[in-house]
Amino acid sequence: ERLVNAAGVDYAVSILDHKRIDEINILASTMEAMSLAVKGLSSKPDYVLIDGNRCPPDLGIPAEAVVKGDLKCTNIAAASIIAKVTRDRMMHAYHKRWPQYDFATHKGYGTAKHMAAIHREGPCPIHRRTFAPLKHMDLISENE
């Protein structure tokens, strides 16, 4: 909370749901979410640093991709912390709705425990159907 409330800090978070990710793929949805976050800032930046090896094509602002940027740049590290905290909070909310998947523990990553829950329970509505292990399982959720 101190990070996002600090003087001079301007940030925006963009979240695309599982349907959009399935529709356009994980890389395209990552690029779209980054573009939406930049456009959601209260002031237009002069330059954007991106953690990774490519920049969204439609930023309309000069940008630089920085591989392992969270280790090299404090601004990218701060953005990474905001993203992780946002994701953790979402996973805790999902855990309350679907506790059998234990989202609070694995945070949505494809751990053995998470995959075992999907095999046992079938996918829940937020599971991406294009996620490689899931698309080959031929599982139908009763929750859909």
Side-chain angles (χ1 to χ4, degrees):
E1 298 301 319
R2 280 191 295 167
L3 173 63
V4 298
N5 293 320
V9 171
D10 185 12
Y11 77 99
V13 175
S14 177
I15 299 166
L16 299 182
D17 69 15
H18 63 285
K19 291 177 186 175
R20 181 67 175 154
I21 297 168
D22 279 343
E23 179 184 334
I24 65 174
N25 78 45
I26 191 71
L27 177 60
S29 61
T30 300
M31 296 292 126
E32 183 175 311
M34 284 191 280
S35 292
L36 290 169
V38 169
K39 291 172 185 163
L41 293 169
S42 60
S43 58
K44 184 177 178 178
D46 296 323
Y47 196 76
V48 177
L49 295 171
I50 301 290
D51 188 13
N53 62 0
R54 63 182 74 185
C55 296
D58 62 345
L59 281 178
I61 299 168
E64 176 184 353
V66 182
V67 175
K68 298 193 183 283
D70 58 335
L71 301 176
K72 299 174 181 176
C73 175
T74 55
N75 289 351
I76 293 176
S80 181
I81 290 167
I82 292 169
K84 183 180 182 333
V85 169
T86 299
R87 180 183 173 86
D88 287 353
R89 288 176 178 166
M90 290 174 61
M91 291 298 122
H92 281 280
Y94 293 154
H95 181 82
K96 287 179 182 176
R97 185 155 182 199
W98 299 288
Q100 66 271 33
Y101 296 97
D102 198 23
F103 288 112
T105 300
H106 58 67
K107 307 295 191 265
Y109 291 102
T111 64
K113 188 174 182 180
H114 187 181
M115 298 312 297
I118 293 170
H119 279 286
R120 184 180 64 250
E121 304 289 335
C124 75
I126 62 160
H127 281 110
R128 292 184 290 115
R129 299 314 190 256
T130 55
F131 176 58
L134 208 65
K135 71 180 174 182
H136 300 296
M137 286 183 178
D138 194 32
L139 298 171
I140 306 295
S141 172
E142 295 175 12
N143 301 327
E144 296 186 277

